[in-house]
Amino acid sequence: MPSERQPDVPVVSRSAQAAATRQQIVETAQRLFAARGYQVTSLQAIANEMGLTKAAVYYHFRTKAQILQASLDPAVEEMTVLLDELAGMTSRQEKLDAYAVGWVDFLVRNRELGTMLLHDPEIRAASIYAENDGRRRRVLRVLFGTSPTPAERMAYVMCVWMLEGLGELSDLSDDELRATLLLTVRGLLAVPGAAPARRGVSRRR
């Protein structure tokens, strides 16, 4: 009798399996960094959480710092893509609103990173929060032109600092967090153009 045809079973390549394991390590590490702190989370702790040997984790990442960098790289790339999109817009208001929406979406997707930043100086120093001068200048130039005012520069800095403040809003749902952050970012970016009144000079009513 002819043998029954075996159902098709998808074949997963070794490279795909390795990539999946690598991503699981990164995601597990992020959870542990947020819950326990970066300093006290070891490669062994990450391995134990995943039911792997330390050698299996070491195969993909030689150091804990490499895992941290792998978790931060997508965030940096995401912001680079957003800047490229903004650079192609001509309307200042369109740029500011697109930045507000894009930045808030980024914050909501990476809210666990905010919790990590709140408690770990090591993560704060390595993350997108510690932006290099080149990236900071590019954002300011894209949003405000070649000569941003002090108020515009401070508005941008305050937007960046919101990443660290996410840990204070951990009780909010994603939708609640998005609405709160969008209101805040749009308020910060609505930079007043008029100079403040001088001290001792009252305005006419």
Side-chain angles (χ1 to χ4, degrees), residues 86 89 91-103 139 142-144 152 182 185-186 188-191:
L86 295 177
M89 300 177 182
S91 165
R92 172 188 168 98
Q93 191 56 48
E94 182 185 14
K95 287 182 182 180
L96 292 176
D97 195 60
Y99 175 77
V101 173
W103 178 238
V139 175
V142 168
L143 293 180
F144 303 114
E152 290 168 342
L182 193 55
V185 173
R186 281 176 169 158
L188 287 170
L189 294 179
V191 181

Side-chain angles (χ1 to χ4, degrees), residues 2 12 35 45-46 72 77 87 92 111 113 146 159 166 183 193 198:
V12 180
I46 296 170
L72 297 174
E77 177 61 26
R92 172 188 168 98
R111 61 185 304 173
L113 175 59
T146 56
C159 287
L166 290 178
L183 181 65
R198 293 180 181 178

Side-chain angles (χ1 to χ4, degrees), residues 5-203:
R5 184 176 182 274
Q6 296 295 321
D8 293 332
V9 178
V11 178
V12 180
S13 67
R14 293 182 63 180
S15 61
Q17 289 178 331
T21 300
R22 181 183 174 88
Q23 183 59 31
Q24 289 172 1
I25 291 172
V26 170
E27 292 173 356
T28 301
Q30 285 179 322
R31 290 196 303 272
L32 294 180
F33 292 161
R36 305 178 185 179
Y38 175 79
Q39 191 64 38
V40 301
T41 301
S42 63
L43 290 180
Q44 185 63 63
I46 296 170
N48 292 344
E49 184 74 11
M50 297 183 65
L52 300 175
T53 64
K54 183 178 178 179
V57 174
Y58 188 78
Y59 174 81
H60 297 278
F61 297 99
R62 296 302 179 93
T63 66
K64 185 172 59 173
Q66 288 182 348
I67 301 178
L68 175 59
Q69 192 59 55
S71 70
L72 297 174
D73 283 345
V76 174
E77 177 61 26
E78 186 177 344
M79 294 311 301
T80 300
V81 171
L82 175 60
L83 280 179
D84 290 342
E85 294 175 352
L86 295 177
M89 300 177 182
T90 56
S91 165
R92 172 188 168 98
Q93 191 56 48
E94 182 185 14
K95 287 182 182 180
L96 292 176
D97 195 60
Y99 175 77
V101 173
W103 178 238
V104 167
D105 285 344
F106 169 84
L107 291 175
V108 173
R109 282 194 297 271
N110 294 277
R111 61 185 304 173
E112 198 166 65
L113 175 59
T115 302
M116 291 157 57
L117 284 169
L118 188 63
H119 302 292
D120 278 289
E122 295 93 341
I123 295 178
R124 186 182 301 113
S127 75
I128 191 174
Y129 176 81
E131 292 191 307
N132 60 52
D133 286 342
R135 188 183 305 120
R136 178 179 61 82
R137 287 195 298 268
R138 186 189 180 203
V139 175
L140 288 171
R141 184 174 65 252
V142 168
L143 293 180
F144 303 114
T146 56
S147 300
T149 66
E152 290 168 342
R153 284 155 46 199
M154 181 53 68
Y156 167 67
V157 170
M158 295 294 287
C159 287
V160 174
W161 283 348
M162 290 173 66
L163 180 58
E164 185 175 352
L166 290 178
E168 297 293 341
L169 300 175
S170 58
D171 59 311
L172 300 183
S173 68
D174 283 355
D175 288 342
E176 291 171 330
L177 180 63
R178 180 175 286 103
T180 300
L181 295 180
L182 193 55
L183 181 65
T184 305
V185 173
R186 281 176 169 158
L188 287 170
L189 294 179
V191 181
R198 293 180 181 178
R199 292 183 178 180
V201 178
S202 61
R203 295 182 176 179

